[in-house]
Amino acid sequence: MLRAAVLAAAAYALGSIQVPRVIQRMVSDEPPLDHLTLEWGDGKAMRFDFAGATTVEVTSGPALGIVAALLDMAKVALPVVILRRTHPGQQLDTLWASASSVGQMLPLQHRLAGGRGDSVTMGMCLARDPLAIPVSIVASQLAGLYILRDPLLAAEGWTAFLPLYFAARRKPDLVVYALVVNAVRWPASIKELRQVIHYHRAGEYETREFHEAFEATHFGYIHRWLRQRGLIRYDYMD
């Protein structure tokens, strides 16, 4: 128990190191960007409060954004690989990944205002089951675009499918891990979710202005690719 507690504390501490904020401080004299704003139409906007690889991309370019994402992945993936080899069958790797993800999303030193855990979650998936990433992303896009008709949830909802994927793969420890990730991620995103629901009900997603603004961000890359190939179509975009 003591070893597990020490390991969880170390994982949380490492996870709570906000790599994107560190990189932004190193390359700029400006305060680190801790939010993104999607604006369209006549004064309409959504604000997403988080500090991640995307905020580094906005302030310092895609190359440093990729570096931030890779470093966040590594702080989970490398310890997971090491723990699985040194302590097989003890689920210490799952404990590390869970605590590190909580630290990434809820860092005490930033008043619980961290990232959304995409990179660290991908790091765990790469270490344990790389296929989980494309499968969950495709499932999220299909459900979001063709069932819910909500492009933002399609782009951001991929972690919600991880518990189902790991359950189908009969990996109970990863099911628990994925549930922990979602239990922290979605409450931390409650402000953004309220905005998404508001604009969804207001019909704003069914406007050319919204789609052009959305597709200009990293959220809309897949959406734009699908629309340009005729896999999803809107009359107002023709």
Side-chain angles (χ1 to χ4, degrees):
M1 288 294 293
L2 178 60
R3 180 173 59 182
V6 171
L7 189 70
Y12 177 88
L14 181 59
S16 68
I17 297 174
Q18 302 291 289
V19 173
R21 285 188 167 104
V22 173
I23 290 178
Q24 289 181 85
R25 288 195 184 98
M26 291 173 61
V27 301
S28 175
D29 294 330
E30 297 294 327
L33 183 64
D34 60 0
H35 69 277
L36 293 176
T37 303
L38 175 62
E39 299 177 321
W40 73 96
D42 185 17
K44 299 179 179 69
M46 288 187 189
R47 175 174 167 133
F48 301 89
D49 291 304
F50 70 95
T54 305
T55 55
V56 176
E57 178 183 350
V58 170
T59 60
S60 307
L64 284 178
I66 292 173
V67 170
L70 291 175
L71 290 175
D72 271 340
M73 291 180 191
K75 68 186 182 184
V76 171
L78 292 179
V80 164
V81 171
I82 293 171
L83 287 169
R84 280 186 65 78
R85 291 185 177 180
T86 57
H87 299 82
Q90 297 186 35
Q91 280 77 54
L92 293 181
D93 60 313
T94 310
L95 175 64
W96 177 280
S98 299
S100 185
S101 295
V102 174
Q104 172 74 9
M105 292 184 275
L106 301 175
L108 287 174
Q109 71 270 32
H110 295 292
R111 298 182 180 180
L112 306 183
R116 288 298 174 261
D118 287 305
S119 295
V120 291
T121 305
M122 287 185 177
M124 175 59 161
C125 292
L126 287 172
R128 290 290 309 272
D129 192 337
L131 189 60
I133 298 173
V135 169
S136 57
I137 289 175
V138 169
S140 181
Q141 291 290 333
L142 290 174
L145 295 178
Y146 299 104
I147 299 176
L148 300 176
R149 305 294 290 180
D150 191 313
L152 277 168
L153 289 180
E156 293 297 292
W158 70 281
T159 60
F161 291 90
L162 288 175
L164 297 174
Y165 172 82
F166 291 133
R169 297 272 285 175
R170 298 182 180 179
K171 296 181 176 181
D173 60 324
L174 292 184
V175 172
V176 173
Y177 161 75
L179 290 174
V180 169
V181 167
N182 283 284
V184 178
R185 176 188 175 102
W186 296 112
S189 306
I190 192 67
K191 291 182 180 179
E192 289 88 347
L193 289 173
R194 287 173 178 167
Q195 295 176 84
V196 168
I197 293 170
H198 168 73
Y199 283 118
H200 182 93
R201 290 176 174 173
E204 283 298 322
Y205 295 164
E206 299 174 3
T207 64
R208 184 181 189 90
E209 293 82 3
F210 170 80
H211 280 282
E212 288 178 343
F214 174 67
E215 291 182 358
T217 70
H218 83 285
F219 299 116
Y221 290 164
I222 294 178
H223 185 277
R224 181 175 58 191
W225 187 90
L226 292 170
R227 188 178 61 80
Q228 289 175 343
R229 285 155 183 79
L231 297 175
I232 187 169
R233 190 166 179 265
Y234 307 99
D235 292 339
Y236 46 83
M237 294 297 288
D238 293 338

